[in-house]
Amino acid sequence: MLFHVRMNVNLPAAMPAEEATRLKLDEKALAHRLQEEGKWRHLWRIAGQYANVSVFDVDSVDELHALLTSLPLLPYMQVEVMPLCRHPSSIRLDDR
Amino acid sequence: MLFHVRMNVNLPAAMPAEEATRLKLDEKALAHRLQEEGKWRHLWRIAGQYANVSVFDVDSVDELHALLTSLPLLPYMQVEVMPLCRHPSSIRLDDR
Amino acid sequence: MLFHVRMNVNLPAAMPAEEATRLKLDEKALAHRLQEEGKWRHLWRIAGQYANVSVFDVDSVDELHALLTSLPLLPYMQVEVMPLCRHPSSIRLDDR
Amino acid sequence: MLFHVRMNVNLPAAMPAEEATRLKLDEKALAHRLQEEGKWRHLWRIAGQYANVSVFDVDSVDELHALLTSLPLLPYMQVEVMPLCRHPSSIRLDDR
Amino acid sequence: MLFHVRMNVNLPAAMPAEEATRLKLDEKALAHRLQEEGKWRHLWRIAGQYANVSVFDVDSVDELHALLTSLPLLPYMQVEVMPLCRHPSSIRLDDR
Amino acid sequence: MLFHVRMNVNLPAAMPAEEATRLKLDEKALAHRLQEEGKWRHLWRIAGQYANVSVFDVDSVDELHALLTSLPLLPYMQVEVMPLCRHPSSIRLDDR
Amino acid sequence: MLFHVRMNVNLPAAMPAEEATRLKLDEKALAHRLQEEGKWRHLWRIAGQYANVSVFDVDSVDELHALLTSLPLLPYMQVEVMPLCRHPSSIRLDDR
Amino acid sequence: MLFHVRMNVNLPAAMPAEEATRLKLDEKALAHRLQEEGKWRHLWRIAGQYANVSVFDVDSVDELHALLTSLPLLPYMQVEVMPLCRHPSSIRLDDR
Amino acid sequence: MLFHVRMNVNLPAAMPAEEATRLKLDEKALAHRLQEEGKWRHLWRIAGQYANVSVFDVDSVDELHALLTSLPLLPYMQVEVMPLCRHPSSIRLDDR
Amino acid sequence: MLFHVRMNVNLPAAMPAEEATRLKLDEKALAHRLQEEGKWRHLWRIAGQYANVSVFDVDSVDELHALLTSLPLLPYMQVEVMPLCRHPSSIRLDDR
């Protein structure tokens, strides 16, 4: 199942630089792994914003929630989730 | 270049059924062609809504605008466009 | 999987009374069947509004979308879907 | 009487970890007790958000307010309350 | 129990004058009766708007909903309900 | 003249407990006095929120503003004022 | 007492031209009279919009409401009222 | 040329009292001077809010911007500007 | 003086095609003339929307309003005006 | 390709004055260079606000994003991007 997720990141101005760097590295490592596993199907940056649009491919809402709550930056994100399904005009049976 | 496009469709209640059917068929035919040409990369229905999330892959904003204005349903759509770019944590050079 | 669905109904003032009555009866019959099948777990009216809060229990987003698009009143509804999951403070493994 | 309550939690970044842990444990203990007493009928996590959707079953608005203000996390929550009533298409006389 | 209700009225421009007049008279008659019964405790017009702020005093949410749905103008109203309770700084045990 | 006032209170997390206590006591004492004088006609807590709905009965806008600016908690409040007048369907000449 | 009133006008597209003309002439005649009486102190058009910002000088909220409801265009207006009072930095005791 | 300006002031809770006092005195002195020069035509306090509605009379947008940016409280204000022009129903050629 | 104007166009579905065509031709002819006169400095279409972003260069707010109200499509537009001025980081004294 | 960018700047009150000054100087120097290169075509201040409206002329969304993320003030900005294209009523083939 596919879920459209938009994440807006907002790190506190007072966060020490090394903590921010470490968080971002951990986030990146996890993002790489989830993409390689095929769970995090798409990951795009929105131009000009510290925000992304993503598509997750999971077996359940619980799995989606577990993945999102494992993100190191989640406490500093505003997250919006929209469940997606096949569009009748899509030429693909499975548009991942 | 990738653009994230959300389309909310709202056909007037007074539109005759045959006109609605014809518009939807024309829209579907054009959507098929644009997907086959690789211009309309992704097309998902948002669950429970007469709305879709799409990703277009075009050479310019002018081409994007020309594609969108060629859609038969455009006069009955609310459209939001967000330019996308490569995310630094993506494992793909080109996440189409 | 559970999905929280809010439906706001807005019948056009110009709809003939018999058409409205028929639509509501069809909607009610389908709502009864889906509740009896356990797909439509909860259905509450929001006080003072022609709107409801519902909880659906389905196997996939596609099933949810199919159920919602089968509702006779859907063309006259504004629908918002939120995926739900188990809350860590819930005393139930499965709070349906 | 049933009330639909949405709670969005937002702990200040500056809160010491042990204080946050203690607050969450106290909140959880109280949530358990209120669920066991049947006052807090449903408690779901909204996927991807530090937020829940709940249904309370109380004898009066004053009781609802007393329950909500007893929550240790309330000072860090944004709360929205909607009174619910029986839906004419519900198959249950009492959909708790 | 007290509920704060705001009603915004919006009669369609196409409604015949006699129908509007009849609806308003019926609404007024019912409003009078509910005020005399003590159910509709307060009824104020918001200056410059076809809208009112009201306070209802009912035994349950179901009673509130039944009263509101009996209003002849309800199909042309946008209604917002907020449950009220005793304020700790009120000098009255029961501020109706 | 009656004015509908909604006050949302938001004390900063960093405010020392004793300062918060003192402010609330001062606020309560003033609220008592203004209610006894008949200036602050109604004071209700909105269920689940650190917010109230009030009705003030004053001789002028200047008097209303003077009363509101004398509240110790005002610097921590968001305030919305709506002028009220007699509703044509009210059974009271003066619904205070 | 001064009240700041913003009026947005929205005539239905289906209104016959002669009815629109008559309404506007009646509105203008009344606006002239109220300005000459000193009740309607200021009347400005917002650039590019069919909307105005006005300042009324009345003895009570009831008088304000009576003036506004006497406007022929009121059924086609969205109106927002804000009570004004003397600003402590104003050089005028009475800034009408 | 007239411009309608709304200013909402929001001093940080952490600002030392003497700094706040000094800023307000400087603001007041400048407001007095600009009113005496006829640049700041009207200055009203919105009842119950730390906000004002003002009308400026300037020769150009650049002059308006220069005046606003000279205000000592500007860094703590949210400002909205609307250009005004003569209303066709105004009885004044120049409603300053 | 420069003003930033955004215009969203919304022609009624019921407008006869020939009337829409005539309005658009008249609008285009006037737009051409105002651009040639240097009053309408920039005119861009927003991708995917029946909307434009424009920059007008006028001598006064009254002139801006006169130009905007002369547009044949104005009754079907939502218009937002923002006064612009020189940016301190601009390399141009006059960025038209 | 042209992109309309609105930037709202919000420096934290706690930022030391010298840091703010340095950031603004660096921002200005970069803005000058990008304008001279023709990448940053227009840069206007919105009257009364610490905000600008800009038009960028770039070869791709990636270039736009790279330019925006190179701005020293970006971490303190809220940025909105709208892709622009040729308006059919423009008299210019290329309205930069």
Side-chain angles (χ1 to χ4, degrees):
Chain A
M1 281 180 302
L2 301 181
F3 290 87
H4 181 281
V5 181
R6 177 173 174 158
M7 309 180 199
N8 287 24
V9 188
N10 187 18
L11 295 183
M15 180 182 282
E18 63 269 31
E19 184 183 349
T21 302
R22 183 179 51 74
L23 277 171
K24 289 177 188 173
L25 284 178
D26 290 354
E27 179 89 9
K28 192 172 196 165
L30 181 53
H32 279 193
R33 187 160 61 74
L34 292 173
Q35 287 175 84
E36 281 153 7
E37 293 173 9
K39 297 296 185 188
W40 197 330
R41 296 293 306 179
H42 296 287
L43 170 55
W44 297 291
R45 169 63 46 98
I46 303 172
Q49 303 200 11
Y50 195 1
N52 71 68
V53 165
S54 292
V55 176
F56 283 81
D57 183 5
V58 293
D59 292 329
S60 68
V61 174
D62 283 321
E63 186 185 5
L64 174 69
H65 187 67
L67 294 186
L68 292 174
T69 53
S70 72
L71 299 179
L73 287 174
L74 188 76
Y76 311 103
M77 284 181 185
Q78 179 189 3
V79 174
E80 292 170 33
V81 175
M82 285 194 307
L84 299 176
C85 50
R86 190 176 184 275
H87 193 284
S89 294
S90 175
I91 59 172
R92 297 182 185 85
L93 281 179
D94 187 12
D95 182 4
R96 301 194 220 185
Chain B
M1 280 181 302
L2 301 181
F3 290 86
H4 181 281
V5 180
R6 176 175 174 157
M7 309 181 199
N8 287 24
V9 188
N10 187 17
L11 294 183
M15 180 183 282
E18 62 270 29
E19 184 182 350
T21 301
R22 184 179 49 73
L23 277 171
K24 290 177 188 174
L25 284 177
D26 290 354
E27 179 89 7
K28 191 171 198 165
L30 180 54
H32 278 194
R33 187 159 62 75
L34 292 173
Q35 287 174 84
E36 281 152 8
E37 293 174 8
K39 297 297 184 187
W40 197 331
R41 296 292 306 178
H42 296 286
L43 170 56
W44 297 291
R45 169 63 44 99
I46 303 172
Q49 303 200 11
Y50 194 1
N52 71 68
V53 164
S54 292
V55 175
F56 283 82
D57 183 6
V58 292
D59 292 329
S60 68
V61 174
D62 283 321
E63 186 184 5
L64 173 70
H65 186 67
L67 294 186
L68 292 174
T69 52
S70 71
L71 299 179
L73 287 175
L74 188 77
Y76 310 103
M77 286 179 184
Q78 179 189 3
V79 174
E80 293 169 33
V81 175
M82 285 195 306
L84 299 176
C85 49
R86 191 177 183 276
H87 193 284
S89 294
S90 174
I91 59 173
R92 296 181 185 87
L93 281 179
D94 187 11
D95 182 4
R96 299 194 222 186
Chain C
M1 281 180 303
L2 301 181
F3 290 87
H4 181 281
V5 181
R6 176 174 174 157
M7 309 180 198
N8 287 24
V9 188
N10 187 17
L11 294 183
M15 180 182 283
E18 63 269 30
E19 185 182 350
T21 302
R22 185 180 49 73
L23 278 171
K24 289 177 190 174
L25 284 178
D26 290 353
E27 179 89 9
K28 192 172 197 164
L30 181 53
H32 278 195
R33 188 159 62 74
L34 292 173
Q35 288 175 83
E36 280 152 8
E37 294 173 7
K39 297 296 184 187
W40 197 330
R41 295 291 306 178
H42 296 287
L43 170 55
W44 298 291
R45 169 64 44 100
I46 303 172
Q49 304 199 11
Y50 195 1
N52 71 69
V53 165
S54 292
V55 175
F56 283 81
D57 183 5
V58 292
D59 292 329
S60 67
V61 174
D62 283 321
E63 186 185 5
L64 174 70
H65 187 68
L67 294 186
L68 291 173
T69 52
S70 71
L71 298 179
L73 287 174
L74 188 77
Y76 311 102
M77 285 180 185
Q78 180 189 3
V79 174
E80 293 170 32
V81 174
M82 285 195 307
L84 298 177
C85 49
R86 190 176 184 275
H87 194 284
S89 294
S90 175
I91 59 173
R92 297 181 184 86
L93 281 178
D94 188 11
D95 181 3
R96 299 194 222 186
Chain D
M1 282 180 301
L2 301 181
F3 290 87
H4 182 280
V5 180
R6 177 175 175 157
M7 310 181 199
N8 288 24
V9 187
N10 187 18
L11 294 183
M15 179 183 283
E18 62 270 29
E19 184 182 350
T21 302
R22 184 178 50 73
L23 276 172
K24 289 177 189 174
L25 284 178
D26 289 353
E27 178 89 9
K28 192 172 198 166
L30 181 53
H32 278 195
R33 187 157 63 74
L34 292 173
Q35 287 174 83
E36 281 153 7
E37 292 174 7
K39 297 297 185 187
W40 197 331
R41 296 291 307 177
H42 296 287
L43 170 56
W44 298 290
R45 168 63 45 98
I46 303 172
Q49 303 200 11
Y50 195 1
N52 72 67
V53 165
S54 292
V55 175
F56 282 82
D57 183 5
V58 292
D59 292 329
S60 68
V61 174
D62 283 320
E63 186 185 6
L64 173 70
H65 187 67
L67 294 185
L68 291 174
T69 52
S70 72
L71 298 178
L73 287 174
L74 188 76
Y76 310 103
M77 285 180 184
Q78 179 189 3
V79 173
E80 293 170 32
V81 174
M82 286 194 305
L84 299 176
C85 49
R86 190 176 183 276
H87 194 284
S89 294
S90 175
I91 58 172
R92 297 181 185 85
L93 281 179
D94 187 11
D95 182 4
R96 301 195 219 185
Chain E
M1 281 180 301
L2 300 182
F3 290 87
H4 181 281
V5 181
R6 177 175 173 157
M7 310 180 199
N8 287 24
V9 188
N10 187 17
L11 294 183
M15 180 182 283
E18 63 269 30
E19 184 182 349
T21 301
R22 184 179 49 73
L23 278 171
K24 289 177 190 174
L25 283 178
D26 289 353
E27 178 89 9
K28 192 171 196 166
L30 182 53
H32 278 194
R33 187 159 62 74
L34 292 173
Q35 288 175 81
E36 280 153 8
E37 293 173 9
K39 297 296 184 188
W40 197 331
R41 296 292 306 178
H42 296 287
L43 170 55
W44 297 290
R45 170 62 46 98
I46 303 172
Q49 304 199 12
Y50 194 0
N52 71 68
V53 165
S54 291
V55 176
F56 283 81
D57 183 5
V58 292
D59 292 328
S60 68
V61 174
D62 282 321
E63 186 184 5
L64 174 70
H65 187 67
L67 294 186
L68 291 173
T69 52
S70 71
L71 298 179
L73 287 174
L74 188 76
Y76 311 103
M77 285 181 184
Q78 181 189 2
V79 173
E80 294 170 32
V81 174
M82 286 194 306
L84 299 177
C85 49
R86 189 176 185 274
H87 194 285
S89 295
S90 175
I91 58 172
R92 296 182 185 86
L93 281 179
D94 187 12
D95 182 4
R96 299 194 223 186
Chain F
M1 280 180 302
L2 300 181
F3 290 88
H4 182 279
V5 181
R6 178 175 173 157
M7 309 181 198
N8 287 24
V9 188
N10 187 17
L11 294 183
M15 179 182 282
E18 62 270 30
E19 184 183 350
T21 302
R22 183 179 49 74
L23 277 171
K24 289 177 190 175
L25 284 178
D26 290 354
E27 178 89 8
K28 192 172 197 164
L30 181 53
H32 278 194
R33 187 159 61 74
L34 292 173
Q35 288 174 83
E36 281 153 6
E37 294 174 7
K39 297 296 186 188
W40 197 330
R41 297 291 306 178
H42 297 287
L43 169 57
W44 298 291
R45 168 64 45 101
I46 302 172
Q49 304 199 13
Y50 195 0
N52 72 67
V53 165
S54 292
V55 175
F56 282 82
D57 183 4
V58 293
D59 292 329
S60 68
V61 174
D62 283 320
E63 185 184 6
L64 173 71
H65 186 67
L67 294 186
L68 291 173
T69 52
S70 71
L71 297 179
L73 288 173
L74 188 77
Y76 311 103
M77 285 180 185
Q78 179 190 2
V79 174
E80 293 170 33
V81 174
M82 286 194 306
L84 299 176
C85 49
R86 191 176 182 276
H87 193 285
S89 294
S90 175
I91 59 172
R92 296 181 186 86
L93 281 179
D94 188 12
D95 181 3
R96 300 194 221 185
Chain G
M1 282 180 302
L2 301 181
F3 290 87
H4 180 281
V5 181
R6 176 174 173 158
M7 309 180 199
N8 287 24
V9 188
N10 187 18
L11 293 183
M15 179 182 282
E18 63 269 30
E19 185 183 348
T21 302
R22 183 180 49 74
L23 277 171
K24 290 177 190 174
L25 284 178
D26 290 354
E27 179 90 7
K28 192 171 196 165
L30 182 53
H32 278 194
R33 187 160 60 74
L34 292 173
Q35 288 175 82
E36 281 153 7
E37 293 174 8
K39 297 297 184 187
W40 198 330
R41 296 292 306 178
H42 296 287
L43 170 56
W44 297 290
R45 169 64 43 100
I46 303 171
Q49 304 199 12
Y50 194 1
N52 72 67
V53 165
S54 292
V55 175
F56 282 82
D57 183 5
V58 291
D59 292 328
S60 69
V61 174
D62 283 320
E63 185 184 5
L64 173 70
H65 187 68
L67 293 186
L68 292 173
T69 52
S70 72
L71 298 178
L73 287 174
L74 188 76
Y76 311 103
M77 285 180 184
Q78 181 189 1
V79 174
E80 294 169 32
V81 175
M82 287 194 305
L84 299 176
C85 48
R86 190 176 184 275
H87 194 285
S89 294
S90 174
I91 58 172
R92 296 181 186 86
L93 281 179
D94 187 12
D95 182 4
R96 300 195 220 186
Chain H
M1 281 181 301
L2 300 182
F3 289 87
H4 181 280
V5 181
R6 177 174 172 157
M7 310 180 197
N8 287 23
V9 188
N10 187 17
L11 294 183
M15 179 182 283
E18 62 269 31
E19 184 182 350
T21 302
R22 184 178 49 75
L23 278 171
K24 289 177 189 174
L25 284 178
D26 290 354
E27 178 90 8
K28 191 171 196 164
L30 182 53
H32 278 193
R33 188 160 60 75
L34 292 173
Q35 288 174 82
E36 281 153 7
E37 293 174 8
K39 298 295 185 188
W40 198 329
R41 296 291 306 178
H42 296 287
L43 169 56
W44 298 290
R45 170 63 44 99
I46 303 171
Q49 304 200 12
Y50 194 1
N52 71 67
V53 165
S54 292
V55 175
F56 283 81
D57 183 4
V58 291
D59 293 328
S60 68
V61 174
D62 284 320
E63 185 184 7
L64 174 70
H65 187 67
L67 294 186
L68 291 173
T69 52
S70 71
L71 298 179
L73 287 174
L74 188 77
Y76 311 103
M77 284 180 185
Q78 180 189 1
V79 173
E80 294 169 33
V81 174
M82 286 194 306
L84 299 177
C85 49
R86 190 175 184 276
H87 194 285
S89 295
S90 175
I91 57 172
R92 296 181 186 85
L93 281 179
D94 187 11
D95 181 4
R96 300 195 221 186
Chain I
M1 282 180 301
L2 300 181
F3 290 87
H4 181 280
V5 181
R6 178 175 173 156
M7 309 180 199
N8 287 24
V9 187
N10 187 18
L11 295 184
M15 180 182 282
E18 61 270 31
E19 184 182 349
T21 302
R22 184 179 49 75
L23 277 171
K24 289 177 189 174
L25 284 178
D26 290 353
E27 179 89 9
K28 192 172 197 163
L30 181 54
H32 278 194
R33 188 159 61 75
L34 292 173
Q35 288 174 83
E36 281 153 7
E37 294 174 8
K39 297 297 185 187
W40 197 331
R41 295 292 305 178
H42 296 287
L43 169 56
W44 297 291
R45 169 64 44 99
I46 303 172
Q49 303 200 13
Y50 194 1
N52 71 67
V53 165
S54 292
V55 175
F56 283 82
D57 183 5
V58 292
D59 292 328
S60 68
V61 174
D62 283 321
E63 185 185 5
L64 173 70
H65 187 67
L67 294 186
L68 292 173
T69 52
S70 71
L71 298 179
L73 287 174
L74 188 77
Y76 311 103
M77 286 180 184
Q78 180 189 1
V79 174
E80 294 169 33
V81 174
M82 287 195 305
L84 299 176
C85 49
R86 191 177 182 275
H87 194 284
S89 294
S90 174
I91 59 173
R92 296 180 186 87
L93 281 180
D94 187 11
D95 182 3
R96 300 194 220 184
Chain J
M1 282 181 299
L2 301 181
F3 290 88
H4 182 281
V5 181
R6 177 174 173 158
M7 311 180 198
N8 287 24
V9 188
N10 186 17
L11 294 183
M15 180 182 283
E18 63 269 29
E19 185 183 349
T21 301
R22 184 178 50 73
L23 278 171
K24 289 177 190 175
L25 284 178
D26 290 354
E27 179 89 10
K28 192 172 196 164
L30 181 54
H32 278 193
R33 187 159 63 73
L34 292 173
Q35 287 175 83
E36 281 153 7
E37 293 173 9
K39 297 296 184 188
W40 197 330
R41 296 292 306 178
H42 296 287
L43 170 56
W44 298 289
R45 170 62 46 97
I46 303 172
Q49 303 200 13
Y50 194 2
N52 71 67
V53 165
S54 291
V55 176
F56 283 81
D57 183 5
V58 292
D59 292 329
S60 68
V61 174
D62 283 320
E63 185 184 7
L64 173 70
H65 187 66
L67 294 186
L68 291 174
T69 53
S70 71
L71 299 179
L73 287 174
L74 188 76
Y76 310 103
M77 284 181 186
Q78 180 190 2
V79 173
E80 293 170 33
V81 174
M82 286 194 306
L84 299 177
C85 49
R86 190 176 183 275
H87 194 285
S89 294
S90 175
I91 58 172
R92 296 181 186 86
L93 282 179
D94 188 11
D95 181 3
R96 300 194 222 188

